Every structure is written in structure tokens, then in C-alpha cells.
Amino acid sequence: MRKKKKVSIEDVAHRANVSITTVSRVINNVSTVDPKIQARVEEAIAYLKYQPNISAQRLARGLNNAVGLVMPGYPGIFHSFYAIELIRGIGHACETLRLDMVFHITNGFNPLNSNNVGGIIFADIIENRKQVEHTLEMGIPCMVINNIVQDLDVSYVAIDNKAGAVMATDYLFSLGHQKIAMITGNLKTQGGFQRLEGFKESIQKHNITLPDGYTYEGDYSRRCARQATEYFFNLKPAPTAIFASSDDMALEAMSVVMEHGLKIPEDISVVGFDDNPASLYGSVALTTIRQPLFHMAESSVKHLNAMVLGKKKERVKVVLTPELVVRESCRPPKNP
Amino acid sequence: MRKKKKVSIEDVAHRANVSITTVSRVINNVSTVDPKIQARVEEAIAYLKYQPNISAQRLARGLNNAVGLVMPGYPGIFHSFYAIELIRGIGHACETLRLDMVFHITNGFNPLNSNNVGGIIFADIIENRKQVEHTLEMGIPCMVINNIVQDLDVSYVAIDNKAGAVMATDYLFSLGHQKIAMITGNLKTQGGFQRLEGFKESIQKHNITLPDGYTYEGDYSRRCARQATEYFFNLKPAPTAIFASSDDMALEAMSVVMEHGLKIPEDISVVGFDDNPASLYGSVALTTIRQPLFHMAESSVKHLNAMVLGKKKERVKVVLTPELVVRESCRPPKNP
DNA sequence: CTGAAAGCGCTAACAA
DNA sequence: TTGTTAGCGCTTTCAG
């Protein structure tokens, strides 16, 4: 295998018989190039299979067209619909904007060399708060996703989790349910916490007092959803409806219910949160709250990019609204 | 907000009253620096919160400490345990080796500017064959993951899927099962195909002829696993055991079985493939084939890095062996 | 042990 | 429209 010398802009310039600058111009689509010369340069580029050295471009331009994505490393996050949609959304946006997406999984302690990216997106502020603060201090553009950050002047794109939970619970009430149980997500997570808040708000609004134990603290895992559901079965007035803080948990709850020989939605109604496509294909399609995860991820990249390019100086604070998707897993209770 | 000027190596040099070269030395841990000076420089670095500009370093060094990860963009891949483990493993290895992980989701047509990374890892060769060939042509170090590539001289780290499938099927035979059905994965995938091969091989080895329809072509989705299982229920001699090409599918199959009022493993045995932790927490823990996904991902990064640094010139061709994990979902058939 | 100087490959004024 | 000339921030000989 011959050691192929990297071809540089100079080689192209030679072959096309023009100056380096001209080559640079055609690379960057500066329109002031004579069509004939342009063609010659392009021929040379193709012939030599030339590809600009990004490091050199960045150095010369003084800016950096890479965005960092930092995800907290806690176990399980990766196996969540949430994380995956974020990665997809951000990846897609980067591909479109021709940005590099530099991916960091971090426990929150690595200093996170931020000089190799133009800006940073934090998939969550939990576990990475220090790094967010540091990034802010350094004046590096950054965005936090899925958290309404009040105590830090940082840009974010978030989802109104509380509103979503209210929708879900209100819907169950509207069907006539009164005995509604909830499996919460991880309450250290803002989303998890706010969904619980929304649930409580709806309950209160309807002037109901829930029996004890109608709220089970979960952590988004299927395992805890299973435990929660088993637990609900043992309650004196058993709930007629379950609101789970994620589709995954809702799905597991449905499995448990069916393993007990009960039917959904006849015996028990279930609503989830996410709109995970997996919840479409079970034996009963899940009614759920759709949150615009992909969209949120995409738009965070766009905002970040605008900040990096200096087009936007103020902080961006966006809160997206989720939406109720009615499918087959809910029905009025038998004995209201 | 003041526009904080980036601090450069020069600023550090000034403050420490040394030359740029010396600063560079301490950055790069060149041992020939006087401890006193070293301390002064480090103080300055800390004080100014200096971080080297990676683009400049790369340009000067002439090499690139970033690795590209390219994943095919077909729908669903992201929602697979497989993809996630890869990302985790590669991410982890990069973090350890202090490499940037540049993430590309691609449909296989983007030219994939390979000049901004030192080497490339292809998460699969399916859909990205052209790009692999191109990368090879350009002399850029690269590795293919999870594919034993015969018709291209490229490095790979793969898993012996066939052997895994043989293990699974042999195990079922060893319990006394004869009527074993299989739900395959996507057969366009090498893994999917080879697992089917392994299944067939084991069957043949045991001198059995399977009834028609005992092999259902799936695609790794839960949906198809559901269809497959329903389908198996209608077969004349119904199977007593099911081998699913992924844990996800196995889990779904188990759900369907239980929805039919049957018990696992009493009525039907199930074995999966993956060792997805999700399969630990159902009502019945799944017996499965563990494949070293994380390890495979990690080691691909290490090999690639060695190639990038020129420490390794030959192709690397590694095939890892999976392993049977016996849990609770299998048992001898009732009427053998 | 330390520093001066020459690039790495490219962009961006400024001239021509 | 094209070319000349400085750098971008850092590493790396090569002297001192």
C-alpha cells in the first residue's frame, strides 16, 4: 500500500493552473469566478479527489462548524426513546446544516474541551450542571434541551411536561374515571417531576381526593412499571385507569394487566407519554401524549447555529406544547 | 456580555514569561521542562482558562484525532438495542482515548467528507458499501463493524452469529424440543441471515425435518414478532419452542403467548438473541444468546486508532464468539 | 533546558 | 475577475 500523500489545495491549484485563492473561491462558492476557470478547477478537484482539510478551514476561518452533544451517562438513558429521538433529531439537523456532530457521553466531570466545537447542546442539565455553567462562563454558545432552566441564564428548548400530564389526566376524567393511578418517571428529572405536578393539578381541579398509594414513584424503566402495576392491583379500591409517565412503562403496565387476565381497555384504561411508535403495534394501540422530541432536537441545533454565527445574541427560551393522541387503550370505567 | 477574546497559547506564554514553544511543551507533557517553569506555565493556563485550539493542533500535527461513526439511516435501526450498544461502546472508547466521536447518520449518498476525521467506523456495511469502498480508495483507515466482509479487503470486528444461533437451537434440542420455530431478523442484514443459517444447521445436525412454516421472516421489529407468533399458533403441529433472532422479538413473542393464556416456559419455551437487559425484568427472565456488542464497539475503536497512528498496517479481522445465557424461559416440552 | 523560526492548509483582506 | 500576502494557533526541527 503506497503512502498516498494527502492532496492539498495547492495541488489543485497547480493542476488547474490558477492560484490557491481561486481554488478556495470555487470551494466556497464565491460567485465571482469565471465559468471556464471554475470548470477547470472542478475538474482538478475531481481528478485529484481533493477534499478540503477541515482543520485548516476552521483555523483560518476562526470558527468551528461542529456542535457538541453531551449526554449524561447514567445507566438506562440510552435505552430510552427520549435519548434516541434526540440523537436522531440532532444528527439530522447537523447533516442538513453540514455541521459535525461531536458526541460526548460524560459523567459530568471530564472538563469537556469545548474548543473543538462551535457550540454545545446539553441533552439534559441533570448531571451536567457544572459543565453548563463552565460553558457559559467561557462564553461558548450553548443550549440545554428539555429543561426549563430558571436559575441560570441559558438558552433552552423544552417541552411543557406539566401541560401534557394535565391533558392526559383530564382526558381520563372526561371518560368518567375517578380512580386514576399514576406511575411517575424519575423525579430527579424535570420532565418526571413536572408530569407528576400536572397529574396532581388535574386531580385537584376535579376536586377529587385520591386514595393512598395511587402514585407510584418509578424511574422510566419497565421493571418499575411492572412493580407499580402489581402494587396497584393490591390496592383496596383498585384504580380503573393508569397514567404512566412514559410509553415504555405504559406498555409494561398493559402487559401486567393482561397477564392478570384482565382486558384493556375494558377493565382498565391506560395512557402513556411519548408517542413511541412501539406503542402502536401491541395488541392494543396506546393512547398517549405526543411530545415533539425530534422537532425539539432539530430546533435546538438551528438556534445554536444562529448563535455560533453571531446572528443571535439574546438567549433563546422556547417551550413546546405536547398533544393528546387518542387510540384504543382508554374507555369509560365499568362502574363509575 | 463582553466578547471574550479566545485565549491562545501566546497569552499563556506572555503571562508565564516563557516562549510559546515551552507552553506547547507543557501542554504535551514533554518531560524536559524545568519544574519551576512548568509550574508557572500551569498557573497561567489555569488562570487564563486556556484550552488549546484543536483545529490548530491537528493542522500542525498533520493528523486528526477524531473518529467518524457512520450509521445507516434506515428506519428502526435507532430503536434497536444493537445500535445503542454500539454508540455506547464507541463513545466510551473515544472518551477514554480522548478522541472526538463524529457522528454521521447517512443514507449512503452523502459524500461523507472524510478529511475531518482520522478514521471511520462503519456501523454496518449494508447501505454504506459505496462509502466504504471510497474510504478504502482514499487510503483512510476504516473498520466495519458486525460484518464479516469477504469481498472487500477491509478491517472488521464481527460476531459469530451463526455459532450463536447454533447454540440456541442446540440448547432447545438438548431439552428435548423437536418442534422448534424461528422468527428471523432482517435477512438483508448479515447477522439476520447468519442466524437463520445457524438455526438450519442445528436442525440438520439433529436429523430433523421441520414442518412447513416453522420459519417466519421478521425484521427485528416487535410488530413482526407478534405476527409471527400468532401465525405459529395456527400451525397444525404447533411449535413447542421459539427461537427469536432478537430479545425484543422474543419479548414480544412471550407477550403474545401469555395473552393467549399459555404459560412460559411450561407451555412454550422461548430463547432470544442479544442479552438486552430489558429481558431480565419481565415476568419470566429470558434465556438468550449474549453477544459482546459493547466490547466489539470498543475494540473497533482501539484497532482503528492503532491504524490511524500507523502502528498497524495490516487489516484487522476479528470474529467474536457469543455465549448462551440460561435463565427461565425454557424447559423440556410437555409431550416430547 | 529553552527559544526562534518555519511551516501545517486554508481564508480573507488588499491590490492589480 | 484573479492573484499576493498575511495570518489562524499550534507543533517541531534546529540552534543556543
Side-chain angles (χ1 to χ4, degrees), chain B residues 175-179 332-336:
Chain B
L175 290 177
H177 289 278
Q178 302 268 84
K179 287 168 284 181
K334 282 175 167 170
N335 319 300

Side-chain angles (χ1 to χ4, degrees), chain B residues 9 24 28 50 57:
Chain B
I9 197 172
S24 172
N28 296 291
Y50 165 71
Q57 286 185 314

Side-chain angles (χ1 to χ4, degrees), chain A residues 9 21 24 28 50 53 57 60:
Chain A
I9 198 172
T21 315
S24 173
N28 296 291
Y50 165 71
N53 178 320
Q57 287 184 314

Side-chain angles (χ1 to χ4, degrees), chain A residues 74-309:
Chain A
Y74 56 78
I77 182 165
F78 269 102
H79 301 288
S80 66
F81 181 65
Y82 169 70
I84 303 315
E85 284 297 291
L86 283 198
I87 297 177
R88 276 189 54 229
I90 292 173
H92 183 259
C94 286
E95 215 70 31
T96 307
L97 270 52
R98 316 209 105 247
L99 299 171
D100 275 357
M101 159 176 170
V102 178
F103 195 81
H104 278 272
I105 303 162
T106 166
N107 51 24
F109 294 110
N110 302 26
L112 184 59
N113 184 338
S114 35
N115 244 31
N116 52 352
V117 296
I120 301 182
I121 294 178
F122 290 91
D124 202 330
I125 196 171
I126 186 177
E127 277 210 1
N128 296 114
R129 181 172 211 94
K130 274 265 174 303
Q131 298 179 323
V132 173
E133 287 171 3
H134 183 248
T135 307
L136 246 24
E137 251 174 43
M138 303 278 291
I140 294 160
C142 71
M143 298 224 58
V144 172
I145 272 190
N146 204 29
N147 270 74
I148 300 175
V149 187
Q150 313 266 29
D151 52 341
L152 225 51
D153 185 33
V154 64
S155 297
Y156 58 78
V157 188
I159 283 170
D160 195 340
N161 283 292
K162 192 169 170 184
V166 169
M167 282 176 204
T169 318
D170 280 0
Y171 174 65
L172 255 11
F173 273 115
S174 78
L175 290 178
H177 289 276
Q178 302 269 82
K179 287 169 284 183
I180 306 173
M182 174 173 186
I183 310 174
T184 78
N186 183 336
L187 296 182
K188 287 177 189 156
T189 278
Q190 193 183 61
F193 182 73
Q194 290 188 335
R195 288 174 203 172
L196 175 57
E197 292 290 290
F199 176 69
K200 285 183 184 163
E201 182 176 305
S202 170
I203 299 293
Q204 229 161 25
K205 197 169 62 187
H206 288 83
N207 251 318
I208 294 271
T209 309
L210 249 32
D212 278 351
Y214 264 46
T215 276
Y216 190 100
E217 184 173 342
D219 60 3
Y220 291 123
S221 76
R222 281 191 172 243
R223 176 171 44 165
C224 76
R226 174 164 292 271
Q227 291 167 344
T229 312
E230 296 289 3
Y231 171 82
F232 291 151
F233 269 112
N234 293 325
L235 260 25
K236 331 119 201 226
T240 59
I242 297 175
F243 167 40
S245 211
S246 80
D247 278 6
D248 253 355
M249 295 200 296
L251 253 24
E252 190 71 9
M254 285 169 63
S255 286
V256 175
V257 169
M258 298 199 285
E259 285 167 24
H260 275 254
L262 297 181
K263 284 202 181 314
I264 290 174
E266 291 80 349
D267 299 307
I268 291 192
S269 291
V270 175
V271 12
F273 204 113
D274 267 352
D275 194 30
N276 183 334
S279 57
L280 261 170
Y281 302 119
S283 55
V284 178
L286 182 67
T287 288
T288 191
I289 301 295
R290 170 179 303 154
Q291 45 174 348
L293 253 23
F294 189 90
H295 174 67
M296 175 172 76
E298 258 194 316
S299 86
S300 72
V301 175
K302 286 176 192 158
H303 287 305
L304 184 70
N305 197 230
M307 295 166 72
V308 171
L309 297 179

Side-chain angles (χ1 to χ4, degrees), chain B residues 17-66:
Chain B
N17 234 313
V18 295
S19 74
I20 291 183
T21 316
T22 300
V23 177
S24 172
R25 287 202 180 94
V26 349
I27 291 171
N28 296 291
N29 282 312
V30 178
S31 48
T32 63
V33 181
D34 183 298
K36 295 209 154 190
I37 297 201
Q38 164 125 5
R40 238 163 55 216
V41 172
E42 276 164 354
E43 186 279 333
I45 289 180
Y47 178 80
L48 297 169
K49 299 194 179 179
Y50 165 71
Q51 293 195 260
N53 178 319
I54 297 231
S55 298
Q57 286 185 314
R58 285 181 186 161
L59 182 55
R61 283 202 257 256
L63 49 76
N64 193 321
N65 61 326

